[in-house]
Amino acid sequence: MYKNIFKSIVLLSSLQAVSQENLNDISENYFTENDTVKKLKEVVIEAKNNPSKSSVNRAGIKEKDLPQAIQVIGTEIIQQQQSIRLSDVIKNANGVYVGSARGGAQESFWSRGYDMSANNMFKNGFRFNSGSIPEVSSLEKVEILKGSAALLYGNVAPGGIMNMVTKTPNFKTGGEFTMQAGSYNFYKPSADVYGAFNNSIAYRFNGSYENSESFRDYVTKERYYVNPSLLFKVSDKTEITLQADYLSDDWTPDFGTGSIGKEIADVPRNAYLGAKWSNGNTKQATASILVNHEFNKNWKLNFNSSFQDYDRESKGTERIQPAANGDWNRPYGRNKAVEQILANQISLQGNFKTGKIKHQLFTGIDTEISYADAYTFRFFNPDVLDVNGDPVTVTTYGNPVNIFDPALYDATYDGPIMPSEVTRIVKTETTRLGVYAQDLISFSDKFKALLGIRYSYQEAKPETHDKVNNTITEEKIRNDRAFSPKVGLIYQPTKSITLFSSYSNSFTPNTGIDINNEALEPSIIDQIEAGIKNEFWKGKLTTNVTLYQIVNSNLVQTAEFDANGNINTNPNLKALSGETTSKGIELDITYKPIDDFNIMAGYSYNDMRYTETTGLTGSFIEGDRLVRTPQHTANLSFFYTVPTGMFKNVSVGAIGNYIGDRFGGWNNQVDPTRPNGIWDREIPVNGYTTIDVSLGYNWKQFSLLCKLSNITNELNYTLHENYSVNPIAPRQILTSLRYKF
């Protein structure tokens, strides 16, 4: 199938391609890391330059010379679609989708069959703790580098990385005030003000407040966000940018509807099943300094440093896992996670020649140290003592409920809230170090090669603090080392056509020990991809096609035998003996037939399966597709502003988003005690399509935009395993009034 599709695209490109420069509004402007960013234009999602200061493409390579796919969603699109959450923005990103919304506290994103939420989320080029829901109003754009990014970013999953770029100072004076209001008592005022103190110092301030209820009963949210920044133009060759932001997010833990066996529980979309006193708070603060220096027109030096502080705590009832008849004893849950991250980056970029061959060199060092604390709590009844005179532990809250009986949601059925205390803290210090070098070699205008390699070192030192027994246990230090090479070939028969292919790999640290009682080596994951990038009609139409295959031939599984050759019974004894394969195709199309009219479309096919397993008890099933990985995703959107006539300045737009069939829960496992020898744990989830439409009007410095989302009132779910099954939002309206100055 891939070959036929690929041949068709190549033929189409050959027949229609023209060798002309882009239109001014989508001109080829490229950027270096933390330099004055012009614009990535792989998938032209915005038709204006973004004066941003950070880029997912650190090396400053022109998009057409990069042998992998990039998508960028800019601030114009974010505003046109009135995006409130990052998941709203990601509707425009082909092949990227929301995998789960665990407890209502965070959103996880997936690409090419891999979870991006652990190590693959970045803000302004630095790793970002994804345990919070980021603030969208401060974003200049969202960049997605698909495929392997290990060469520049180290330990990241191979599906791709996401970089959120915040707005930065401008020496021009201006800004905007926005008021958003919508369904379920949602309102959100925000401000964005920028200007210059003098010719050398510019400033910018973003801030917002959000307060809302929800289509889910008893679920509320209140957020505060501030984002000040300063730009110092030290000289014509040196700039320093200082940035900081702070988010406080009060939210209601919400684990959705739950599931029974292999089916999602059939309860009303609005039914909240948790305790009504459930509450959570996330506080996240970052500060960074970015220094850019140009030695001359060919050589640049960048130094960046960032500090991040993250604190999330919640209390409530969770893990909705009722019995077959709907009876559910609500388990107490209290969670707290704290993390501090200090990161530094220094890089050198240069252009030079060896004879007639051009080189674009990018090399650097990055370091990161994080301190993460994970808390465990117990609830107890001070009025009931055990044989030692200590309060007994309480695991469930109040009276049992039946999720199918709305009467039992009433607060009168809630018992007293028991006190809680910390029983254990696991403190983990993680150190990362990376050294890398990359060279784009231009043998001619048509033939180019990208060569690079990275050495990564990662050390994790866990330490368990037992608060009950007042002991501290130092766990075994885990060290991981890996080389990550990348090789890419680029052929450009005309200025408007780019053919590319590449090989790269990434690594994933593993837990457990091998048969020699040694820590497991990291899994090395190989990725190949090939594609074509095209521009037609002076850049009005762009089409990009990418085919890829990702193979983890060192997937961790329980070891079949121990060191003596006996059948292994220790689940912590593991071996790199499994395999997964992810393969697919991505198609992106952007079309701008006339000014003020933009069309975007995308389709992605991904098939990720276990391709090699041991077949032992507890192992996964060979050939089984991984949960939370739809085979098909697609998006289509347009936005048009009437330029003349009776309806001048009236704007209309729409976006459709499709997520295909997938599985929730956990993947099936071998279990000889069960029917057919399989522990069937997968929850089938049907595909769905949501459509949002908008209508607006611009008058002088004012703009009014109204959006009706999910116009068909589609009902579907995001699943985190089988206990956080959250329905998507129903039909809602949102209105934005904006004043620009």
Side-chain angles (χ1 to χ4, degrees):
M1 182 188 72
Y2 304 143
K3 291 181 179 179
N4 292 334
I5 296 175
F6 188 65
K7 288 179 180 178
S8 300
I9 298 297
V10 172
L11 179 60
L12 178 65
S13 303
S14 300
L15 292 173
Q16 300 186 43
V18 292
S19 176
Q20 295 175 318
E21 297 297 322
N22 295 342
L23 296 176
N24 291 332
D25 58 354
I26 48 174
S27 60
E28 286 186 349
N29 293 322
Y30 303 98
F31 50 84
T32 62
E33 178 192 18
N34 304 317
D35 196 9
T36 303
V37 176
K38 280 77 173 180
K39 179 173 172 280
L40 271 174
K41 196 194 64 45
E42 158 117 71
V43 177
V44 185
I45 294 187
E46 182 170 3
K48 296 181 180 180
N49 288 344
N50 294 321
S52 187
K53 287 286 184 175
S54 181
S55 165
V56 72
N57 176 21
R58 292 179 171 180
I61 297 175
K62 294 179 179 180
E63 182 279 323
K64 68 178 182 179
D65 295 337
L66 191 68
Q68 66 189 112
I70 293 177
Q71 288 187 278
V72 178
I73 304 101
T75 183
E76 185 178 15
I77 294 299
I78 294 173
Q79 291 184 357
Q80 287 175 353
Q81 298 177 354
Q82 301 183 79
S83 300
I84 299 297
R85 301 286 177 255
L86 187 57
S87 54
D88 299 326
V89 180
I90 296 306
K91 287 182 179 181
N92 300 280
N94 178 30
V96 183
Y97 54 92
V98 177
S100 69
R102 186 180 184 276
Q106 64 187 94
E107 298 173 322
S108 65
F109 301 94
W110 292 59
S111 175
R112 296 186 176 181
Y114 286 88
D115 190 353
M116 304 174 67
S117 305
N119 292 310
N120 292 38
M121 301 290 292
F122 293 80
K123 185 166 71 173
N124 294 324
F126 292 100
R127 198 181 308 274
F128 176 79
N129 189 306
S130 60
S132 66
I133 296 179
E135 178 56 41
V136 170
S137 64
S138 70
L139 297 182
E140 186 69 42
K141 60 183 176 181
V142 177
E143 306 168 332
I144 300 168
L145 178 65
K146 295 185 178 180
S148 176
L151 174 63
L152 299 179
Y153 291 91
N155 175 28
V156 292
I161 65 169
M162 185 185 303
N163 184 38
M164 296 169 286
V165 182
T166 57
K167 299 173 182 177
T168 51
N170 197 323
F171 280 96
K172 297 180 179 180
T173 300
E176 61 184 37
F177 296 106
T178 305
M179 181 65 191
Q180 294 178 296
S183 303
Y184 307 105
N185 292 321
F186 174 91
Y187 63 90
K188 181 178 183 178
S190 60
D192 177 20
V193 181
Y194 52 85
F197 295 115
N198 51 47
N199 292 332
S200 301
I201 305 175
Y203 66 87
R204 192 159 195 164
F205 175 83
N206 287 283
S208 65
Y209 170 76
E210 178 184 325
N211 193 304
S212 70
E213 297 175 2
S214 170
F215 68 95
R216 303 276 295 160
D217 297 339
Y218 310 107
V219 173
T220 62
K221 182 176 285 291
E222 186 176 25
R223 292 163 61 95
Y224 305 84
Y225 179 81
V226 292
N227 173 209
S229 57
L230 292 171
L231 172 62
F232 299 88
K233 192 173 180 61
V234 180
S235 68
D236 291 339
K237 296 185 177 182
T238 305
E239 289 185 349
I240 300 174
T241 303
L242 301 179
Q243 299 185 80
D245 68 354
Y246 175 78
L247 171 69
S248 177
D249 184 4
D250 290 304
W251 44 276
T252 303
D254 180 13
F255 289 83
T257 65
S259 62
I260 298 177
K262 291 175 61 65
E263 295 184 358
I264 295 172
D266 185 15
V267 300
R269 190 192 311 226
N270 63 298
Y272 179 72
L273 305 181
K276 297 175 181 62
W277 50 262
S278 300
N279 64 88
N281 176 263
T282 303
K283 291 182 171 62
Q284 192 165 25
T286 62
S288 65
I289 178 171
L290 316 174
V291 182
N292 308 308
H293 178 70
E294 293 186 5
F295 295 105
N296 50 52
K297 65 178 182 179
N298 290 322
W299 291 92
K300 301 177 181 180
L301 179 70
N302 298 310
F303 171 77
N304 313 319
S305 184
S306 171
F307 174 77
Q308 178 183 167
D309 184 80
Y310 168 86
D311 189 326
R312 189 181 82 181
E313 184 169 4
S314 64
K315 183 190 297 184
T317 56
E318 57 180 34
R319 296 182 178 267
I320 303 173
Q321 297 171 308
N325 66 349
D327 289 343
W328 178 45
N329 288 310
R330 294 174 288 179
Y332 270 117
R334 184 180 176 185
N335 302 278
K336 182 178 176 65
V338 177
E339 185 177 29
Q340 293 84 38
I341 304 174
L342 177 63
N344 298 282
Q345 305 167 356
I346 185 168
S347 60
L348 178 68
Q349 178 187 329
N351 300 304
F352 62 95
K353 290 184 178 181
T354 54
K356 295 183 178 181
I357 299 176
K358 298 178 181 179
H359 298 265
Q360 188 171 342
L361 178 68
F362 184 68
T363 184
I365 300 173
D366 51 53
T367 64
E368 179 184 293
I369 183 168
S370 68
Y371 302 92
D373 297 345
Y375 290 72
T376 300
F377 297 86
R378 81 170 184 118
F379 288 81
F380 59 91
N381 188 341
D383 299 326
V384 181
L385 305 180
D386 61 18
V387 294
N388 298 317
D390 299 320
V392 298
T393 298
V394 179
T395 59
T396 58
Y397 166 71
N399 296 325
V401 301
N402 187 286
I403 67 171
F404 301 120
D405 189 349
L408 294 182
Y409 304 153
D410 191 271
T412 58
Y413 287 83
D414 292 342
I417 305 170
M418 297 297 177
S420 59
E421 63 181 2
V422 179
T423 59
R424 184 177 65 178
I425 305 174
V426 178
K427 298 177 176 288
T428 304
E429 178 184 337
T430 303
T431 303
R432 295 183 173 95
L433 169 68
V435 182
Y436 57 88
Q438 175 181 278
D439 189 12
L440 176 64
I441 306 171
S442 300
F443 301 100
S444 67
D445 291 339
K446 295 184 177 181
F447 293 95
K448 302 173 184 179
L450 181 68
L451 305 176
I453 191 167
R454 176 189 181 96
Y455 171 76
S456 297
Y457 172 81
Q458 183 169 305
E459 178 184 272
K461 297 191 296 183
E463 190 177 82
T464 300
H465 293 240
D466 189 330
K467 296 299 183 179
V468 177
N469 299 310
N470 199 28
T471 61
I472 299 176
T473 304
E474 294 184 1
E475 309 295 337
K476 188 174 182 179
I477 297 176
R478 189 177 74 240
N479 296 299
D480 294 297
R481 302 172 176 85
F483 285 95
S484 300
K486 184 170 186 174
V487 179
L489 300 176
I490 301 101
Y491 174 57
Q492 298 162 340
T494 71
K495 291 183 179 181
S496 59
I497 299 178
T498 297
L499 300 170
F500 69 89
S501 62
S502 67
Y503 163 80
S504 57
N505 70 31
S506 56
F507 73 98
T508 299
N510 294 308
T511 60
I513 57 175
D514 62 18
I515 61 174
N516 297 314
N517 202 35
E518 298 290 336
L520 286 176
E521 295 291 325
S523 296
I524 305 299
I525 305 171
D526 298 297
Q527 181 164 186
I528 57 174
E529 61 183 291
I532 182 170
K533 306 174 184 181
N534 305 277
E535 293 181 353
F536 309 124
W537 307 318
K538 299 182 180 180
K540 291 185 177 181
L541 173 66
T542 65
T543 63
N544 302 313
V545 180
T546 304
L547 296 99
Y548 62 87
Q549 178 172 280
I550 309 170
V551 179
N552 182 357
S553 57
N554 296 286
L555 181 70
V556 171
Q557 295 190 105
T558 302
E560 188 172 359
F561 303 100
D562 62 20
N564 299 317
N566 300 317
I567 298 295
N568 174 43
T569 58
N570 180 7
N572 197 46
L573 193 64
K574 300 178 181 180
L576 303 177
S577 58
E579 181 181 274
T580 59
T581 299
S582 173
K583 55 186 178 182
I585 183 171
E586 296 165 345
L587 170 64
D588 298 293
I589 301 173
T590 63
Y591 184 40
K592 187 175 183 174
I594 58 175
D595 290 341
D596 300 313
F597 189 19
N598 294 289
I599 301 173
M600 299 177 295
Y603 166 74
S604 176
Y605 171 83
N606 172 263
D607 187 70
M608 185 170 182
R609 299 179 184 271
Y610 292 102
T611 47
E612 187 174 326
T613 65
T614 63
L616 300 174
T617 299
S619 69
F620 297 110
I621 310 300
E622 192 169 311
D624 200 12
R625 183 155 59 92
L626 272 70
V627 296
R628 286 183 282 178
T629 58
Q631 286 189 314
H632 305 277
T633 60
N635 62 279
L636 174 64
S637 68
F638 77 90
F639 198 87
Y640 176 59
T641 302
V642 182
T644 60
M646 180 184 301
F647 297 102
K648 182 180 179 180
N649 294 327
V650 173
S651 60
V652 293
I655 178 171
N657 191 253
Y658 172 73
I659 306 296
D661 296 348
R662 63 227 184 266
F663 292 104
W666 297 271
N667 277 103
N668 297 335
Q669 291 182 330
V670 175
D671 187 347
T673 66
R674 297 178 182 267
N676 301 318
I678 295 176
W679 186 8
D680 191 353
R681 310 188 299 171
E682 297 172 353
I683 303 172
V685 186
N686 294 329
Y688 69 100
T689 300
T690 58
I691 301 173
D692 305 341
V693 297
S694 63
L695 178 67
Y697 180 71
N698 299 326
W699 180 73
K700 296 183 178 179
Q701 294 169 280
F702 292 90
S703 65
L704 180 66
L705 192 62
C706 297
K707 178 176 73 173
L708 185 65
S709 59
N710 193 6
I711 62 174
T712 61
N713 208 32
E714 182 79 14
L715 175 61
N716 212 277
Y717 303 85
T718 59
L719 282 78
H720 181 85
E721 297 174 341
N722 76 337
Y723 61 83
S724 185
V725 183
N726 297 87
I728 65 173
R731 184 186 300 115
Q732 317 181 73
I733 191 169
L734 178 67
T735 300
S736 299
L737 178 63
R738 193 180 311 273
Y739 171 72
K740 292 187 177 183
F741 59 91

